[in-house]
Amino acid sequence: MPYVYRCEACRASAPPRAWQDQARADRDEHRERAHHGLIPDDGITRTGPPAGPRPPSELWRAVRTVGSTDYLRQAAVLLGAGVLVVMALAAILH
């Protein structure tokens, strides 16, 4: 497990994580809970060699997390509307 989040202000460390984005999630959660969103003196340190490739279950979990955000839904709506506008213009101009 090569990545560890440590808050120097609290003198606390999160459990070691295999991937840096997991340590970032620990950092974000700690900042929100313990410091009400403020940024303390903290950091993520690499403690060992990089982990191997993620298992497929981890990759799909990350994809589902991104897919459940409002930003992705808004982008899908905008893309769909854009496609409809282009199709309407193509029908009108031909």
Side-chain angles (χ1 to χ4, degrees):
M1 302 290 173
Y3 296 99
V4 175
Y5 166 72
R6 178 163 174 76
C7 178
E8 296 297 330
C10 296
R11 302 186 59 77
S13 295
R17 303 294 185 190
W19 295 283
Q20 191 172 20
D21 62 323
Q22 294 170 325
R24 285 188 197 125
D26 289 340
R27 177 194 64 196
D28 295 344
E29 182 179 334
H30 175 77
R31 285 179 177 177
E32 191 60 40
R33 285 185 180 185
H35 302 285
H36 308 287
L38 299 176
I39 301 173
D41 184 18
D42 63 359
I44 296 172
T45 56
R46 189 168 176 181
T47 60
R54 286 186 181 217
S57 61
E58 279 287 321
L59 291 173
W60 285 114
R61 187 175 302 126
V63 168
R64 280 194 306 267
T65 300
V66 170
S68 66
T69 63
D70 288 334
Y71 299 114
L72 187 66
R73 285 190 209 110
Q74 291 171 0
V77 168
L78 287 173
L79 179 63
V83 168
L84 290 175
V85 167
V86 169
M87 290 174 62
L89 286 172
I92 291 170
L93 296 175
H94 284 138

